């Protein structure tokens, strides 16, 4: 039986990485019959955001880094040393065949020095599109080269890597709702679901919506995501200033992502850049078309313009308004995009993606 260890910071937050880690661990244990252990550094005795199978072992090292300070501050340095000692002890007991670093955590840079006979895998859930070629990035690349595999989410992301160890394995989706969604009558509702952060460029989304509803005043936009920080507060104030509080509704954080997506006619994204957004796959699997800026990397690796959604010229707000208005006015166009969305999602079924993990990583003879 293969022994697999997955290293993360925590599994209590609602987020894409947390969901993917749980999804993969559950699948590998239940379907492949592998022994899977997830080791975290700061679960802080909080409940899991997503349901973890009893077949998966979970260990929290309780390192609890001070995230408000640099890892090079003395307090975190001492925690880092303790992290290494406690993790080494766990690995000696488990004797894993594979160690997967799923989060961007301090141990990323040194696990290869005490991995034993295990093969190591580093997952990248962020884009290297904007990575600067400086001393730090060069040092990181040297340390990454010690891994057996570097898993990226698309061929485009692979093109940014100089390592021959890079393997492309996309994120999976877990449901396909074509029969449930066919001809389903929905309210005139659009949705944004994700991190409410500056990189998501929600300012543009608010502007687009303010222009769109001048013609389509019967539509509403629901925004899901943690909305209590200063950036979120500034967005709420913008909505208030534009007198859009009846049309743009901040719904807060939700674990019921599928249910919320399924209620919508379209998912909207206006990010400055993305990597490989899981929310796009989730929407497509539920027959919800996606309208997105054609930003550097990410959406264009999943979507086909006018087939399962729209790829709008990057930062072109007027074109976005026009495309959205055309969509709202054309029910047959809505149905066609919805049907095609599920066909795209089929390419990312959990069966197909987990098969890639097995053939490219777990059963590969690469040493």
């Amino acid at each position: 039986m293969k022994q697999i260890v997955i290293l993360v910071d925590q599994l209590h937050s609602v987020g894409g990485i947390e969901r993917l880690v749980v999804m993969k661990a559950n699948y590998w244990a239940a379907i492949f019959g592998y022994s899977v252990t997830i080791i975290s550094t700061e679960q802080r005795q909080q409940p899991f955001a997503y349901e973890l199978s009893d077949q998966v072992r979970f260990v929290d090292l309780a390192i609890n880094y001070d995230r408000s300070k640099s890892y090079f501050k003395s307090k975190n340095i001492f925690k880092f040393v303790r992290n290494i000692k406690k993790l080494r002890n766990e690995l000696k007991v488990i004797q894993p065949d594979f160690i997967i670093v799923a989060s961007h955590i301090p141990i990323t840079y040194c696990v290869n020095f005490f991995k034993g006979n295990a093969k190591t895998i580093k997952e990248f859930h962020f884009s290297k599109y904007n990575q600067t070629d400086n001393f730090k990035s060069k040092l990181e690349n040297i340390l990454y080269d010690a891994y057996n595999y570097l898993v990226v989410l698309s061929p485009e992301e692979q093109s940014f890597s100089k390592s021959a160890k890079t393997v492309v394995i996309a994120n999976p989706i877990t449901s396909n709702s074509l029969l449930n969604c066919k001809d389903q009558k929905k309210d005139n509702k659009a949705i944004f679901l994700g991190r409410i952060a500056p990189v998501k460029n929600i300012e543009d989304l608010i502007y687009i919506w303010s222009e769109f509803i001048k013609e389509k005043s019967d539509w509403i936009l629901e925004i899901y995501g943690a909305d209590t920080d200063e950036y979120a507060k500034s967005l709420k104030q913008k909505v208030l200033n534009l007198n859009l509080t009846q049309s743009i509704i901040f719904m807060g954080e939700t674990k019921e992502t599928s249910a919320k997506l399924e209620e919508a006619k379209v998912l909207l994204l206006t990010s400055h850049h993305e990597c490989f957004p899981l929310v796009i796959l989730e929407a497509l699997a539920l027959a919800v078309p996606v309208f997105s800026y054609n930003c550097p990397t990410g959406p264009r690796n999943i979507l086909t313009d006018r087939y399962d959604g729209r790829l709008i010229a990057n930062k072109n707000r007027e074109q976005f308004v026009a495309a959205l208005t055309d969509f709202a006015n054309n029910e047959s166009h809505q149905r066609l995009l919805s049907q095609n969305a599920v066909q795209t999602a089929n390419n990312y079924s959990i069966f197909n993606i987990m098969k890639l993990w097995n053939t490219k990583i777990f059963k590969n003879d690469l040493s």
Side-chain angles (χ1 to χ4, degrees), residues 102-255:
S103 303
H104 190 63
I105 47 181
I107 211 72
T108 298
Y109 302 113
C110 64
V111 68
N112 284 293
F113 294 109
F114 52 87
K115 65 178 183 177
N117 293 321
K119 294 177 181 177
T120 52
I121 302 105
K122 172 62 183 146
E123 290 188 275
F124 293 91
H125 295 280
F126 60 90
S127 177
K128 286 195 170 186
Y129 171 78
N130 283 324
Q131 186 181 55
T132 54
D133 191 20
N134 55 23
F135 175 78
K136 181 177 180 289
S137 65
K138 289 177 180 177
L139 179 60
E140 284 183 336
N141 289 333
I142 291 171
L143 293 171
Y144 289 149
D145 203 46
Y147 282 85
N148 295 91
Y149 304 90
L150 303 175
V151 176
V152 298
L153 295 170
S154 70
E156 188 172 27
E157 290 300 327
Q158 187 178 37
S159 71
F160 303 142
S161 174
K162 298 177 182 178
S163 175
K165 299 177 180 180
T166 306
V167 177
V168 177
I169 304 179
N171 287 333
I173 48 94
T174 57
S175 62
N176 189 322
S177 316
L178 178 59
L179 294 178
N180 293 334
C181 293
K182 188 179 292 185
D183 297 327
Q184 179 181 350
K185 186 66 176 176
K186 296 184 179 183
D187 294 334
N188 291 330
K189 180 191 297 184
I191 189 173
F192 167 88
L193 195 155
R195 285 189 303 127
I196 298 182
V199 70
K200 300 298 184 178
N201 190 25
I202 299 172
E203 297 92 335
D204 267 24
L205 182 54
I206 291 171
Y207 172 84
I208 289 163
W209 197 259
S210 70
E211 293 296 307
F212 168 71
I213 64 163
K214 288 178 180 178
E215 181 175 333
K216 310 302 295 183
S217 59
D218 58 328
W219 278 68
I220 63 168
L221 168 63
E222 292 184 346
I223 296 179
Y224 286 89
D227 57 3
T228 57
D229 66 7
E230 291 306 312
Y231 175 68
K233 290 176 183 176
S234 71
L235 295 174
K236 291 179 178 180
Q237 187 61 50
K238 183 181 289 289
V239 168
L240 183 63
N241 294 343
L242 292 171
N243 196 28
L244 295 174
T245 53
Q246 298 301 310
S247 180
I248 299 178
I249 305 170
F250 288 85
M251 305 296 291
E253 202 169 46
T254 181
K255 295 181 182 179

Side-chain angles (χ1 to χ4, degrees), residues 47-88:
F48 300 130
Y50 305 98
E51 185 175 354
L52 189 64
S53 168
D54 292 339
Q55 294 176 272
V56 178
R57 179 170 173 256
F58 180 82
V59 177
D60 181 43
L61 302 180
I63 305 303
N64 299 334
Y65 288 104
D66 186 345
R67 296 285 178 170
S68 67
K69 292 181 169 55
S70 166
Y71 289 123
F72 295 102
K73 294 293 185 181
S74 58
K75 184 178 179 181
N76 278 331
I77 289 291
F78 286 123
K79 289 178 180 287
F80 180 56
V81 172
R82 187 157 58 92
N83 191 168
I84 292 173
K85 289 180 179 178
K86 295 184 78 169
L87 180 58
R88 287 181 68 176

